[in-house]
Short mmCIF file of all heavy atoms in Angstrom, two decimals:
data_model
loop_
_atom_site.label_atom_id
_atom_site.label_comp_id
_atom_site.label_asym_id
_atom_site.label_seq_id
_atom_site.Cartn_x
_atom_site.Cartn_y
_atom_site.Cartn_z
N GLN A 178 100.19 100.73 85.28
CA GLN A 178 99.15 100.11 84.52
C GLN A 178 98.73 98.83 85.27
O GLN A 178 97.44 98.70 85.26
CB GLN A 178 99.82 99.66 83.17
CG GLN A 178 98.89 98.83 82.31
CD GLN A 178 99.46 98.36 81.05
OE1 GLN A 178 100.67 98.66 80.66
NE2 GLN A 178 98.81 97.33 80.36
N MET A 179 99.54 98.05 85.87
CA MET A 179 99.01 96.82 86.56
C MET A 179 98.03 97.26 87.75
O MET A 179 97.01 96.68 87.97
CB MET A 179 100.24 96.13 87.13
CG MET A 179 99.79 94.84 87.95
SD MET A 179 99.67 95.12 89.65
CE MET A 179 101.35 95.19 90.17
N LEU A 180 98.46 98.43 88.40
CA LEU A 180 97.59 98.83 89.52
C LEU A 180 96.29 99.21 89.05
O LEU A 180 95.21 99.06 89.70
CB LEU A 180 98.39 99.92 90.28
CG LEU A 180 97.57 100.50 91.52
CD1 LEU A 180 97.35 99.46 92.50
CD2 LEU A 180 98.31 101.75 92.11
N GLY A 181 96.22 99.95 87.84
CA GLY A 181 95.04 100.35 87.29
C GLY A 181 94.15 99.17 86.87
O GLY A 181 92.96 99.27 86.96
N ASP A 182 94.78 98.17 86.33
CA ASP A 182 94.09 96.88 85.91
C ASP A 182 93.36 96.19 87.10
O ASP A 182 92.22 95.76 86.92
CB ASP A 182 95.01 95.90 85.17
CG ASP A 182 95.38 96.41 83.82
OD1 ASP A 182 94.67 97.46 83.23
OD2 ASP A 182 96.48 95.98 83.29
N ILE A 183 94.06 96.09 88.22
CA ILE A 183 93.35 95.41 89.35
C ILE A 183 92.75 96.26 90.24
O ILE A 183 92.02 95.78 91.08
CB ILE A 183 94.60 94.66 90.21
CG1 ILE A 183 95.51 95.68 90.85
CG2 ILE A 183 95.29 93.72 89.37
CD1 ILE A 183 96.53 94.97 91.67
N ARG A 184 92.83 97.61 90.04
CA ARG A 184 92.02 98.57 90.83
C ARG A 184 91.34 99.59 89.99
O ARG A 184 91.74 100.63 89.69
CB ARG A 184 93.08 99.33 91.73
CG ARG A 184 92.87 99.41 93.24
CD ARG A 184 91.70 98.90 93.83
NE ARG A 184 90.95 100.09 94.48
CZ ARG A 184 91.35 100.38 95.79
NH1 ARG A 184 92.33 99.87 96.60
NH2 ARG A 184 90.54 101.59 96.38
N SER A 185 90.19 99.11 89.33
CA SER A 185 89.53 99.96 88.34
C SER A 185 88.81 101.08 88.97
O SER A 185 88.68 102.08 88.35
CB SER A 185 88.48 99.10 87.71
OG SER A 185 87.54 98.55 88.71
N ASP A 186 88.71 101.16 90.29
CA ASP A 186 88.16 102.36 90.94
C ASP A 186 89.18 103.26 91.45
O ASP A 186 88.91 104.33 92.12
CB ASP A 186 87.35 101.78 92.07
CG ASP A 186 88.17 101.23 93.22
OD1 ASP A 186 89.14 100.54 92.90
OD2 ASP A 186 87.77 101.35 94.43
N MET A 187 90.48 103.05 91.21
CA MET A 187 91.50 103.87 91.75
C MET A 187 91.57 105.21 90.95
O MET A 187 91.45 105.25 89.71
CB MET A 187 92.88 103.15 91.51
CG MET A 187 94.10 104.02 92.05
SD MET A 187 95.65 103.29 91.69
CE MET A 187 96.77 104.65 92.07
N VAL A 188 91.72 106.21 91.63
CA VAL A 188 91.88 107.63 91.05
C VAL A 188 93.35 107.93 90.90
O VAL A 188 94.07 107.94 91.83
CB VAL A 188 91.22 108.73 91.91
CG1 VAL A 188 91.42 110.11 91.35
CG2 VAL A 188 89.81 108.53 92.24
N THR A 189 93.84 108.01 89.62
CA THR A 189 95.11 108.18 89.31
C THR A 189 95.79 109.48 89.82
O THR A 189 95.14 110.50 89.88
CB THR A 189 95.45 108.36 87.79
OG1 THR A 189 94.85 107.06 87.15
CG2 THR A 189 96.86 108.46 87.38
N GLY A 190 96.87 109.27 90.63
CA GLY A 190 97.47 110.42 91.18
C GLY A 190 97.13 110.74 92.66
O GLY A 190 97.63 111.69 93.24
N ARG A 191 96.35 109.86 93.15
CA ARG A 191 95.86 110.03 94.62
C ARG A 191 96.83 109.33 95.42
O ARG A 191 97.23 108.12 95.08
CB ARG A 191 94.45 109.53 94.78
CG ARG A 191 94.05 109.70 96.29
CD ARG A 191 92.69 109.16 96.52
NE ARG A 191 91.60 109.85 95.82
CZ ARG A 191 90.36 109.43 95.73
NH1 ARG A 191 89.92 108.31 96.22
NH2 ARG A 191 89.48 110.36 95.21
N GLN A 192 97.28 109.88 96.41
CA GLN A 192 98.26 109.23 97.45
C GLN A 192 97.57 108.07 98.14
O GLN A 192 96.37 108.10 98.46
CB GLN A 192 98.68 110.26 98.43
CG GLN A 192 99.64 109.60 99.47
CD GLN A 192 101.07 109.18 98.91
OE1 GLN A 192 101.13 108.24 98.21
NE2 GLN A 192 102.05 109.92 99.14
N GLN A 193 98.27 106.86 98.31
CA GLN A 193 97.76 105.74 98.85
C GLN A 193 98.66 105.32 100.00
O GLN A 193 99.70 105.93 100.18
CB GLN A 193 97.69 104.56 97.85
CG GLN A 193 97.01 104.90 96.50
CD GLN A 193 95.41 104.98 96.90
OE1 GLN A 193 94.88 104.52 97.80
NE2 GLN A 193 94.74 105.72 95.89
N ASP A 194 98.27 104.26 100.86
CA ASP A 194 99.03 103.83 101.85
C ASP A 194 99.98 102.82 101.48
O ASP A 194 99.67 101.81 100.75
CB ASP A 194 98.00 103.19 102.94
CG ASP A 194 98.81 102.76 104.20
OD1 ASP A 194 99.08 103.51 104.98
OD2 ASP A 194 98.99 101.49 104.35
N ALA A 195 101.27 103.00 101.92
CA ALA A 195 102.30 102.10 101.52
C ALA A 195 102.07 100.75 101.88
O ALA A 195 102.40 99.62 101.20
CB ALA A 195 103.66 102.49 102.03
N GLU A 196 101.53 100.49 103.20
CA GLU A 196 101.34 99.00 103.64
C GLU A 196 100.16 98.38 102.80
O GLU A 196 100.25 97.18 102.59
CB GLU A 196 101.05 99.09 105.09
CG GLU A 196 101.07 97.77 105.93
CD GLU A 196 99.82 96.95 105.81
OE1 GLU A 196 98.77 97.63 105.63
OE2 GLU A 196 99.80 95.72 105.98
N GLU A 197 99.20 99.12 102.56
CA GLU A 197 98.16 98.50 101.66
C GLU A 197 98.62 98.12 100.45
O GLU A 197 98.21 97.10 99.88
CB GLU A 197 96.98 99.50 101.55
CG GLU A 197 96.13 99.66 102.90
CD GLU A 197 94.79 100.47 102.75
OE1 GLU A 197 94.51 100.59 101.53
OE2 GLU A 197 94.14 100.98 103.69
N TYR A 198 99.45 98.94 99.79
CA TYR A 198 100.02 98.61 98.48
C TYR A 198 100.91 97.36 98.60
O TYR A 198 100.94 96.52 97.81
CB TYR A 198 100.82 99.81 97.96
CG TYR A 198 101.48 99.41 96.61
CD1 TYR A 198 100.72 99.30 95.48
CD2 TYR A 198 102.85 99.25 96.57
CE1 TYR A 198 101.27 99.03 94.30
CE2 TYR A 198 103.45 98.94 95.32
CZ TYR A 198 102.68 98.88 94.10
OH TYR A 198 103.23 98.53 92.94
N LEU A 199 101.78 97.26 99.62
CA LEU A 199 102.55 96.16 99.84
C LEU A 199 101.67 94.80 100.07
O LEU A 199 101.94 93.72 99.41
CB LEU A 199 103.33 96.25 101.17
CG LEU A 199 104.13 94.98 101.60
CD1 LEU A 199 105.15 94.73 100.58
CD2 LEU A 199 104.87 95.23 102.95
N GLY A 200 100.47 94.93 100.66
CA GLY A 200 99.56 93.77 100.92
C GLY A 200 98.98 93.45 99.51
O GLY A 200 98.77 92.25 99.15
N CYS A 201 98.61 94.55 98.70
CA CYS A 201 98.22 94.22 97.38
C CYS A 201 99.06 93.44 96.47
O CYS A 201 98.73 92.48 95.89
CB CYS A 201 97.92 95.59 96.69
SG CYS A 201 97.58 95.53 94.89
N ILE A 202 100.41 93.78 96.63
CA ILE A 202 101.39 93.01 95.82
C ILE A 202 101.58 91.60 96.25
O ILE A 202 101.48 90.59 95.54
CB ILE A 202 102.78 93.64 95.81
CG1 ILE A 202 102.68 95.06 95.12
CG2 ILE A 202 103.80 92.92 95.23
CD1 ILE A 202 102.35 94.97 93.65
N LEU A 203 101.72 91.37 97.56
CA LEU A 203 101.98 90.07 98.12
C LEU A 203 100.89 89.17 98.07
O LEU A 203 100.95 88.04 97.65
CB LEU A 203 102.50 90.12 99.58
CG LEU A 203 103.87 90.98 99.82
CD1 LEU A 203 104.15 90.95 101.34
CD2 LEU A 203 104.90 90.35 98.94
N ASN A 204 99.59 89.65 98.34
CA ASN A 204 98.43 88.88 98.25
C ASN A 204 98.26 88.49 96.85
O ASN A 204 97.69 87.42 96.39
CB ASN A 204 97.18 89.62 98.86
CG ASN A 204 97.25 89.53 100.44
OD1 ASN A 204 96.72 88.44 100.87
ND2 ASN A 204 97.64 90.56 101.13
N GLY A 205 98.42 89.58 95.90
CA GLY A 205 98.14 89.25 94.52
C GLY A 205 99.11 88.19 93.99
O GLY A 205 98.64 87.17 93.23
#
Side-chain angles (χ1 to χ4, degrees):
Q178 177 186 346
M179 182 268 285
L180 181 57
D182 288 342
I183 65 175
R184 231 354 241 276
S185 58
D186 62 331
M187 177 186 172
V188 179
T189 303
R191 176 184 294 175
Q192 180 66 285
Q193 304 290 340
D194 182 80
E196 193 272 338
E197 288 190 13
Y198 178 69
L199 175 62
C201 170
I202 295 297
L203 297 183
N204 280 281

